[in-house]
Amino acid sequence: MPFTNNTLAGRMEHAYYPIRELSPLAEEIKKTGAEIYNASIGDPVPYLGPAKYVIKAYAKALKDGKVFYSRSPGDFEFLDEISKRYKRLYTLDIDSSKIFVTQGLSEAVTFLAESLMCKGRGAVLFNPYYPVYAPAVKLFDGTVVLSELDEEKGWAPSKDDLEEKIKKAKDAGVDLRFILIINPNNPTGSMCSRKDLQDVVEIAKNNDLLIISDEIYDEMILVKEKMTCIGELAKGVPHIIMNGLSKNWGGTGFRIGWVVIPEDDEGSRKLREGLNNLATMRLCANTPAQIAGVEALRNVKAHRRFLKYLIKNIRERAEFMQKRLNEIQGVSCQKAKGAFYLFPKIDLSKTKFKDDKEFCTELLRKEHVWVTRGSGFGRDSHLRTTVLPPIEILGKVAQGIENLMRC
């Protein structure tokens, strides 16, 4: 068949990222000279800056010519520092040979879906979810099973709903492989309690499922509650911990993530082998960024100063924005406990809009306010807004939402 007919494989219908879907419209508006109030992208660097001590280390690596291919699973020294971090923060003993460096967590997600998914298999995601995960499962012919987070309980997982969804999937013949946790959560800003995580571990163990925990925001905690790493609770149960330099260290453009597979069961050993094979096919992750990562993780004093600055600003902005959103008729918003997002619910029956996609498109076109539709994260009639811009910009974002709610 000619190349021009049916050019793309059928799986490409799942290759979609809603967070950037309004970029073309935003670019058109910018060309007119109008200002856009952007609360769509979860990138702390433009607003709160990178960690300068890490940038200095990155610049030195470049100056020293450290731009060669590094080890496919990751630079030894960087892997050792990642291991030490888990010991320092969570008293976990993780051998560096069980850690893999990836080009951001996006590559980690792809590697895991490629390794674990095929036709007949599936994965359980808590809904709402970060919108890379469901497409990744589908791209490799997997089935997505959604377990609902309870908005009225601060977006907590439901043990009963999780067990019910797993049973239904199994009864339908789906060979489930893993349960995904995002903690702290993107898009909701929630954080799982220790009890909720214990319930997930118990359910995973009873159903012979792998647990994958995305903990990219694990040090961005806005409340006095303690963050629980899944590794503290899941010893003896197959699990994966994912993290990276993007958020806690303000290094989104470094594209450095990591995957920890700590257990020694046969499945975990095979998965480590599979990830190593995939890593060799793409040669290596960013070498100078890994060298900078050594300094990022080793210089604990500088990191704590940077983190204190980040959290102070994010907490102030999150508190302002949550209060302001809850003042808008037809809008309700849960408190953020971690990360830098809010996920307000909008009562579309009080508007002229049929869904949140239409609402967000008109919000950008008319009010020049750029947020992301909740349906892109699996939950309609919601918006995801970051709380990274300064308060005066967040005020304009909230005002734009209020203006459109009145239409």
Side-chain angles (χ1 to χ4, degrees):
M1 183 175 291
F3 171 73
T4 51
N5 294 338
N6 297 319
T7 302
L8 296 179
R11 72 174 69 90
M12 291 303 294
E13 68 177 317
H14 303 301
Y16 190 68
Y17 189 62
I19 293 174
R20 294 182 181 248
E21 69 185 359
L22 291 177
S23 293
L25 176 58
E27 289 168 5
E28 287 180 21
I29 294 171
K30 286 178 183 178
K31 288 177 183 177
T32 69
E35 182 177 2
I36 289 180
Y37 307 112
N38 188 352
S40 65
I41 306 294
D43 187 352
V45 178
Y47 303 104
L48 297 168
K52 292 181 179 178
Y53 78 102
V54 184
I55 296 299
K56 185 177 179 180
Y58 190 87
K60 184 178 187 304
L62 292 176
K63 186 176 180 180
D64 292 345
K66 302 292 180 68
V67 293
F68 43 77
Y69 289 137
S70 50
R71 294 179 68 250
S72 296
D75 173 77
F76 278 124
E77 195 173 7
F78 186 40
L79 294 174
D80 285 342
E81 291 302 323
I82 296 171
S83 176
K84 290 174 184 176
R85 177 182 184 267
Y86 283 98
K87 181 69 172 179
R88 181 170 64 248
L89 292 183
Y90 303 113
T91 66
L92 297 176
D93 293 309
I94 298 172
D95 191 280
S96 61
S97 66
K98 298 177 179 179
I99 305 171
F100 297 84
V101 179
T102 58
Q103 297 180 99
L105 280 197
S106 297
E107 183 181 66
V109 172
T110 302
F111 277 4
L112 290 170
E114 190 171 3
S115 299
L116 297 169
M117 289 294 104
C118 61
K119 191 172 183 179
R121 291 185 176 185
V124 181
L125 311 185
F126 287 108
N127 186 30
Y129 50 82
Y130 180 62
V132 163
Y133 286 104
V137 169
K138 293 175 182 179
L139 276 166
F140 294 99
D141 294 324
T143 298
V144 174
V145 176
L146 297 179
S147 178
E148 302 300 320
L149 296 176
D150 190 335
E151 184 170 6
E152 297 307 314
K153 294 182 179 179
W155 297 108
S158 165
K159 182 180 180 180
D160 290 343
D161 186 71
L162 179 58
E163 289 178 324
E164 179 185 347
K165 295 298 172 57
I166 290 173
K167 184 179 185 302
K168 283 185 177 179
K170 287 186 171 182
D171 289 347
V174 180
D175 179 12
L176 293 176
R177 295 278 117 180
F178 65 81
I179 301 172
L180 172 75
I181 304 165
I182 305 172
N183 187 40
N185 187 270
N186 177 7
T188 67
S190 61
M191 183 170 67
C192 288
S193 70
R194 195 174 185 88
K195 174 62 169 61
D196 287 336
L197 290 174
Q198 287 171 334
D199 288 342
V200 173
V201 171
E202 179 187 349
I203 291 169
K205 183 178 180 179
N206 291 343
N207 289 276
D208 192 21
L209 297 176
L210 171 71
I211 304 168
I212 299 177
S213 186
D214 177 343
E215 300 179 2
I216 192 75
Y217 303 96
D218 70 336
E219 291 188 77
M220 288 189 162
I221 309 305
L222 308 179
V223 293
K224 292 183 179 180
E225 297 172 33
K226 185 179 181 295
M227 162 72 189
T228 300
C229 174
I230 197 65
E232 297 176 89
L233 303 177
K235 293 173 183 176
V237 178
H239 65 281
I240 289 173
I241 309 165
M242 300 196 300
N243 211 315
L245 296 181
S246 292
K247 312 299 182 175
N248 294 325
W249 288 271
T252 48
F254 287 154
R255 306 313 302 138
I256 292 293
W258 60 78
V259 178
V260 182
I261 310 176
E263 294 297 316
D264 285 316
D265 57 278
E266 183 180 1
S268 295
R269 289 195 298 271
K270 287 182 178 178
L271 185 53
R272 284 195 292 268
E273 181 181 346
L275 259 62
N276 186 70
N277 291 340
L278 290 171
T280 61
M281 291 175 65
R282 60 85 164 107
L283 302 183
C284 70
N286 184 332
T287 300
Q290 291 185 70
I291 294 169
V294 172
E295 175 66 7
L297 274 63
R298 181 179 289 165
N299 194 337
V300 176
K301 187 175 181 180
H303 175 55
R304 286 175 178 166
R305 283 198 303 268
F306 178 67
L307 202 60
K308 182 178 180 181
Y309 158 75
L310 274 183
I311 291 172
K312 177 181 181 296
N313 281 278
I314 292 168
R315 182 186 292 119
E316 289 173 355
R317 297 171 193 194
E319 289 174 352
F320 165 81
M321 193 59 168
Q322 187 215 5
K323 181 177 182 295
R324 182 67 183 86
L325 287 169
N326 281 321
E327 291 171 349
I328 301 172
Q329 187 174 1
V331 177
S332 60
C333 185
Q334 297 291 324
K335 180 179 179 178
K337 292 186 175 182
F340 37 67
Y341 307 102
L342 292 171
F343 199 62
K345 183 177 182 178
I346 54 172
D347 186 351
L348 290 171
S349 69
K350 298 183 182 300
T351 75
K352 63 181 181 180
F353 304 104
K354 65 181 180 181
D355 55 33
D356 57 13
K357 184 176 183 179
E358 187 176 83
F359 184 94
C360 287
T361 302
E362 188 63 15
L363 184 64
L364 179 55
R365 180 179 289 115
K366 183 176 181 181
E367 301 291 336
H368 297 171
V369 168
W370 189 2
V371 296
T372 308
R373 61 184 172 95
S375 54
F377 300 84
R379 191 70 70 98
D380 196 4
S381 300
H382 286 77
L383 312 173
R384 191 200 74 166
T385 175
T386 74
V387 293
L388 292 168
I391 283 176
E392 56 267 27
I393 299 299
L394 291 174
K396 293 183 181 297
V397 170
Q399 187 61 55
I401 293 171
E402 184 169 22
N403 291 345
L404 209 62
M405 290 296 295
R406 290 173 177 170
C407 287

